[in-house]
Amino acid sequence: MEEELKCPVCGSLFREPIILPCSHNVCLPCARTIAVQTPESEQHLPPLLHPRGTAPPAAATAAPGPGAAAGSAACLDSECAAGGGGDHADKLSLHSETDSGYGSYTPSLKSPNGVRVLPLVPAPPGAAAAAAAPRGAGPTSSSLTCPQCHRSASLDQRGLRGFQRNRLLEAIVQRYQQGRAAAAAKCQLCDRSPPEPAAVLCEQCEVLYCAACQLRCHPARGPFAKHRLVPPPGPPGAPAGGGDGGGKGAGGGRKLPTCAEHDLENYSMYCVSCRSPVCYQCLEEGKHGKHDVKALGAMWKQHKAQLSQALNGVSDKAKEAKEFLVQLKNLLQQIQENGLDYEACLVAQCDALVDALTRQKAKLLTKVTKEREHKLKVVWDQINHCTLKLRQSTGLMEYCLEVIKENDPSGFLQISDALIKRVQVSQEQWVKGALEPKVSAEFDLTLDSEPLLQSIHQLDFIQMKFSVTVPPVPLLQLEKCCTRNNSVTLAWRMPPLSHNPVEGYILELDDGDGGQFREVYVGKETLCTIDGLHFNSTYNARVKAFNSSGVGPYSKTVILQTSDVAWFTFDPSSAHRDIVLSNDNQTATCNSYDDRVVLGTAAFSKGVHYWELHVDRYDNHPDPAFGIARINVIKDMMLGKDDKAWAMYVDNNRSWFMHCNSHTNRTEGGVSKGATVGVLLDLNKHNLTFYINGQQQGPPAFENIEGVFMPALSLNRNVQVTLHTGLEVPQCVKQPKLPNN
C-alpha cells in the first residue's frame, strides 16, 4: 500500500495532499514546485481542465512587459518572507524565462519518480517594482500539469488553495506512519527473539521497555520512583503520547470539515453535478440551484458500497493470481526435472552411437538446453509480470480498504469516483488468458537413433515424444455427471499411463427420444454443461478424443434424466428496468403505473408444464396479465398486445384472453389479494389453459402454439405476485366457466 501513499513528484509520503481536477493527488509543496506561469493571451486550456468550481481565465488584452514573470517571482519571495503571501505562493513557485514568459523544460531536475521539475529563475533588475504592482494587474496566469496524466489545469485567483485538500489521504498517511513507527519501537532489554514491542520509554534512562521488562528492570520504587515513563515515540510530526493527531473518524473527536467558502458552515449536502460537498449556505446562495443535490450521508454510503463491490472483483482476481503464482513455481520445478530427464535420455542415446555421433550430440544437447532456457525465461517473465500486477492490485486494495474505514463522508466522496474507476481498471487488467501458462512443462523432443550412419549429420529431434497413434477411450467420471432442471453436466478423463497426445474431445448427445447422436461440444475441457434440454426426458451421451492421427473410440454411453418438473424464477437480466424483483427473484412488482413485462428463466419447447402465481398485493383494480412469450417480446406494454405473447389479463371481476391485441373469451371470475393464478402449458397438445383459484377460465385459451416459450407476466405498481414452480400438473380441475357472449 505504501506506493499508493507516495507523491509522484517527490517520491515521499504525501504532505498536505491536494486533489487535482484529474483526480490525482500531489503534495502542496510539490505543487508549488511544478506550477508554471504562462501569458493569459496565449493560454489554450480547455474549460474542463480548470479547477472545479472556477471559470477559465479571461484572455489578457495587454502584452506582457519585460520581466513580468521575474517580477512575480520577486513578489512571491517578498510575500512569503513577510508571512502574508501564502495564497500567492500557492499560485506560483516556478517562473518563466524572462525573455518569453514561458516555462521551459530544459534545463530541468528530476524527482525520484522521474517527474521533471523546473528550476527557479533569479529575479532580474526591476523585479521589486513589479512585485509592488497590484495583484492581478499582470497579463500572466499560472497553470499546473499533473505529473501522472500530464493534463494541465489553470489556477484562479486563489492559486493552489483553489484545489481541495485530500484530508482522507492525509489521515491514512499519518496512520500509516504511526503504525510503522510503532512497529519499529522494540524493547531494548528483551531476551526474546524478536524483542517485544516497547510499551514505555524512560526519559531519564533513555531506554525502551516492554511491559514485562519494565516490571522486572524498572520497578516504580526506590531510585526509579522519580523517573518519568512516557509512551514510545511516534512518527515525526505525530502528537506527543502517540495520539492519532486528528486521524480519528468523524465520531472520534476530530473537527468536522467546514465549507471552503463558508468557514462557519459544515458540509451537509453533496452536489452530484459538481461532484463536490456543499453546505446549506452554498445552496441558499443559489450556486447549485439547478444542480442535482443529495444528502451527504446517503451519497457517502452509496459510493462506499460501489467501491466495496468493485473491490470484490479485484480481490477474486488477486486470489486467482496467488494460485497462478504457485502453479508457475511448480511449473518451474517440473521444467527443471523434465529438462534433466531429457538430457539424460539424450546422452544415453548418443553414447550408444559411434564416434561419428559426438559432434552431433553436442548440437542436440544445445537444442535441449535452449528449449529449457526458453521455457524458463517465459515462465519467469510471467512470474515477474504477474507479481507486479498482484502487488499493484494488493496495494490498491489495501489503500481502498483504509479509505473505506474512514468516517469522513466529504473526504471520501472527494476521491471515491477516481478510486472506483481505478479499481475497475485494475480488474480489467486481468484479461482472459492472463492467468494461464504460456508454455508447458513437457519437452516434445525425441531422439530417433535408427537412421543409418551416413545420416548422422542430419540427425534432429522429431516433434512428438512418442509414436503418434489415436487416443484411447476416455473414461466417464460418473460421480461428477449430474442433471439440474433441464441441463446436464458431464465429466471425463483419459486413462492413467496414457502417453498418446490428445488435442481435444468431442461430446455427443442424442435428441432425448432415442434418436441420432449430434455433436454438442468440441474442445480441450474435460467438463461440459449443456443447457436448454427438454424436461422429463432421457438423454444418452458419449465422448471421444482426437489428435493429429485421427479420432479415438467412443466412451461408454451414460444415460441422464432431466427433471420431471420445471424449477425457475423471474429473470432479472431480461426484465424491463421498471420491474422490481425480490425473494430470490421469485416475487415481482413494478415502479411504474404502466404495464411492464418480466420473463421466467426457463424455456419450454416440449412436454406439459404448470406453474402458479400468488397475488400478494392488488390495489386500485389493475389488470395484470399472465401467460407465455417468446424471448423477443415487447416489454413496455401489456402482455399479449404483440404477436410474441399469449396471455390472460384479469381485473377484479372477469378475465380475457389476448394475443396480437385481440381480446377473446371474456369469463367471469377475477382476482384479488390472496388469489392464485395457474398456467398450464401443454406442448404435446399445443394449447394453453388458465386457472384462477383452481377454477379453469373457459376452454383452452390458445391452440396450435408451437416453438420455444418462456413463462411471462405483465403488471404495474399496484400489483405484486410471487411465483411458485416445480408443481405437478393438476390431474383434476373444476369445470370451466363458460365465456360470456
Side-chain angles (χ1 to χ4, degrees):
M1 183 180 69
E2 185 173 349
E3 294 299 323
E4 297 286 336
L5 306 181
K6 287 184 178 180
C7 172
V9 177
C10 63
S12 302
L13 295 178
F14 280 107
R15 297 168 296 161
E16 302 180 77
I18 59 175
I19 305 176
L20 302 182
C22 57
S23 299
H24 291 128
N25 299 282
V26 68
C27 296
L28 183 58
C30 296
R32 296 191 183 107
T33 306
I34 63 176
V36 178
Q37 185 179 22
T38 59
E40 289 186 356
S41 59
E42 300 194 25
Q43 277 193 331
H44 301 288
L45 292 177
L48 292 177
L49 298 183
H50 294 281
R52 188 175 301 136
T54 64
T61 58
S72 299
C75 176
L76 169 65
D77 295 337
S78 62
E79 287 185 357
C80 291
D87 290 343
H88 194 67
D90 288 344
K91 293 168 64 176
L92 180 58
S93 290
L94 272 180
H95 309 287
S96 56
E97 300 172 356
T98 57
D99 58 344
S100 66
Y102 285 91
S104 172
Y105 281 91
T106 54
S108 66
L109 306 176
K110 278 194 175 183
S111 73
N113 283 8
V115 179
R116 304 176 74 88
V117 181
L118 297 179
L120 289 174
V121 178
R135 185 175 300 177
T140 59
S141 62
S142 303
S143 65
L144 183 68
T145 300
C146 175
Q148 290 185 275
C149 65
H150 307 295
R151 295 175 62 184
S152 296
S154 292
L155 277 63
D156 62 5
Q157 65 276 8
R158 295 176 296 172
L160 295 176
R161 297 296 179 186
F163 297 118
Q164 298 184 18
R165 185 86 163 265
N166 194 337
R167 299 184 305 277
L168 210 63
L169 177 58
E170 197 169 0
I172 293 174
V173 169
Q174 189 172 15
R175 189 165 61 241
Y176 176 78
Q177 289 177 321
Q178 292 173 0
R180 189 167 58 179
K186 301 291 184 180
C187 177
Q188 295 176 291
L189 297 179
C190 262
D191 296 332
R192 303 177 184 177
S193 182
E196 292 290 324
V200 294
L201 168 67
C202 178
E203 291 186 338
Q204 286 70 32
C205 303
E206 296 185 353
V207 176
L208 291 166
Y209 298 94
C210 66
C213 291
Q214 178 196 349
L215 294 176
R216 184 175 71 252
C217 305
H218 199 290
R221 61 181 181 272
F224 297 113
K226 295 182 180 181
H227 286 202
R228 186 176 178 216
L229 301 178
V230 297
D244 60 10
K248 299 178 183 178
R254 187 173 65 184
K255 182 180 177 181
L256 292 175
T258 57
C259 179
E261 299 183 7
H262 308 98
D263 294 339
L264 300 180
E265 294 290 337
N266 294 331
Y267 288 126
S268 56
M269 305 296 288
Y270 181 77
C271 178
V272 179
S273 304
C274 299
R275 296 190 298 171
S276 174
V278 295
C279 67
Y280 277 111
Q281 193 168 345
C282 293
L283 300 179
E284 291 177 357
E285 292 175 355
K287 295 181 180 179
H288 306 271
K290 296 183 179 181
H291 293 182
D292 185 11
V293 180
K294 296 185 179 181
L296 186 67
M299 291 300 296
W300 175 43
K301 293 180 180 178
Q302 178 183 340
H303 281 233
K304 266 197 173 184
Q306 291 178 0
L307 180 57
S308 299
Q309 185 176 4
L311 277 176
N312 289 336
V314 178
S315 176
D316 293 340
K317 292 299 181 183
K319 292 179 182 176
E320 293 180 16
K322 291 179 181 178
E323 296 174 356
F324 180 59
L325 285 174
V326 174
Q327 180 183 354
L328 289 177
K329 291 177 181 178
N330 292 335
L331 186 62
L332 284 174
Q333 183 178 358
Q334 293 177 12
I335 292 175
Q336 291 280 14
E337 294 175 354
N338 291 344
L340 294 174
D341 291 343
Y342 275 91
E343 287 183 0
C345 179
L346 178 61
V347 170
Q349 288 181 328
C350 289
D351 287 344
L353 299 177
V354 294
D355 294 341
L357 295 176
T358 303
R359 291 185 297 272
Q360 192 69 19
K361 179 179 67 174
K363 295 180 181 179
L364 296 176
L365 279 172
T366 302
K367 287 189 177 183
V368 174
T369 303
K370 286 183 178 180
E371 178 70 9
R372 184 181 76 249
E373 290 177 351
H374 170 70
K375 288 178 178 286
L376 293 175
K377 182 179 181 302
V378 171
V379 176
W380 272 117
D381 289 344
Q382 271 196 284
I383 289 177
N384 294 334
H385 183 67
C386 186
T387 302
L388 176 61
K389 282 190 175 181
L390 178 61
R391 183 170 65 250
Q392 293 173 348
S393 298
T394 304
L396 179 59
M397 287 172 54
E398 292 175 356
Y399 171 59
C400 291
L401 291 175
E402 290 297 326
V403 170
I404 291 176
K405 293 178 184 178
E406 288 297 311
N407 293 324
D408 182 356
S410 60
F412 179 87
L413 292 172
Q414 287 176 338
I415 64 175
S416 58
D417 287 327
L419 281 181
I420 292 171
K421 291 179 182 178
R422 288 188 60 195
V423 170
Q424 292 172 345
V425 170
S426 177
Q427 182 178 357
E428 292 171 359
Q429 290 179 351
W430 300 98
V431 296
K432 184 176 180 181
L435 300 182
E436 296 179 0
K438 294 183 179 180
V439 297
S440 67
E442 300 296 328
F443 284 67
D444 296 333
L445 307 170
T446 300
L447 182 65
D448 185 3
S449 58
E450 296 181 358
L452 298 175
L453 186 61
Q454 58 268 29
S455 300
I456 288 178
H457 293 289
Q458 300 176 355
L459 189 64
D460 202 350
F461 288 106
I462 62 174
Q463 293 300 313
M464 302 304 297
K465 189 189 308 183
F466 304 99
S467 58
V468 180
T469 59
V470 296
V473 178
L475 302 178
L476 287 168
Q477 297 181 275
L478 300 180
E479 68 279 4
K480 295 183 180 180
C481 298
C482 61
T483 62
R484 184 181 183 275
N485 229 0
N486 63 333
S487 66
V488 297
T489 299
L490 296 106
W492 59 90
R493 62 178 176 84
M494 295 305 294
L497 303 178
S498 173
H499 300 296
N500 292 331
V502 175
E503 297 180 7
Y505 302 92
I506 300 174
L507 176 63
E508 296 182 356
L509 204 68
D510 69 0
D511 60 0
D513 284 330
Q516 295 293 323
F517 282 91
R518 68 187 190 282
E519 293 183 1
V520 294
Y521 172 76
V522 178
K524 296 182 178 181
E525 300 296 330
T526 58
L527 182 71
C528 181
T529 298
I530 302 100
D531 298 315
L533 303 177
H534 298 305
F535 287 90
N536 195 22
S537 299
T538 301
Y539 288 89
N540 296 292
R542 62 188 183 184
V543 65
K544 57 184 177 181
F546 64 88
N547 60 19
S548 59
S549 295
V551 179
Y554 284 108
S555 67
K556 293 182 178 179
T557 301
V558 61
I559 301 175
L560 299 166
Q561 173 74 37
T562 56
S563 176
D564 293 341
V565 294
W567 297 86
F568 59 91
T569 63
F570 291 120
D571 184 8
S573 63
S574 64
H576 191 278
R577 61 178 178 273
D578 292 336
I579 293 292
V580 179
L581 301 179
S582 58
N583 188 26
D584 294 332
N585 296 330
Q586 293 178 324
T587 299
T589 185
C590 183
N591 283 330
S592 173
Y593 285 106
D594 298 321
D595 291 304
R596 300 291 187 249
V597 172
V598 58
L599 302 177
T601 55
F604 305 120
S605 60
K606 175 185 175 183
V608 182
H609 310 281
Y610 178 74
W611 62 94
E612 292 181 347
L613 300 108
H614 184 269
V615 181
D616 304 325
R617 178 168 52 81
Y618 187 83
D619 304 327
N620 302 322
H621 309 299
D623 298 332
F626 311 86
I628 59 174
R630 302 194 190 278
I631 186 66
N632 57 344
V633 65
I634 299 176
K635 298 184 176 68
D636 57 359
M637 62 183 183
M638 180 182 288
L639 193 68
K641 285 194 173 184
D642 63 356
D643 62 346
K644 304 294 191 302
W646 293 257
M648 174 188 72
Y649 73 94
V650 195
D651 61 14
N652 60 329
N653 292 319
R654 60 191 68 84
S655 65
W656 295 263
F657 300 157
M658 185 163 63
H659 174 62
C660 291
N661 205 22
S662 174
H663 307 250
T664 59
N665 291 71
R666 189 182 74 173
T667 306
E668 295 298 325
V671 297
S672 60
K673 179 180 179 181
T676 299
V677 177
V679 182
L680 177 61
L681 175 62
D682 190 342
L683 290 172
N684 295 335
K685 297 180 180 179
H686 307 288
N687 60 32
L688 180 65
T689 307
F690 296 99
Y691 302 88
I692 297 180
N693 296 327
Q695 177 72 50
Q696 182 176 335
Q697 297 298 105
F702 304 101
E703 297 184 351
N704 300 321
I705 54 176
E706 294 184 357
V708 179
F709 304 96
M710 308 179 75
L713 164 72
S714 71
L715 73 172
N716 63 17
R717 66 183 304 162
N718 292 318
V719 186
Q720 176 176 302
V721 300
T722 296
L723 177 66
H724 297 279
T725 62
L727 305 176
E728 296 289 342
V729 176
Q731 299 299 321
C732 297
V733 297
K734 299 178 182 178
Q735 290 297 321
K737 293 184 178 180
L738 295 177
N740 295 331
N741 296 327

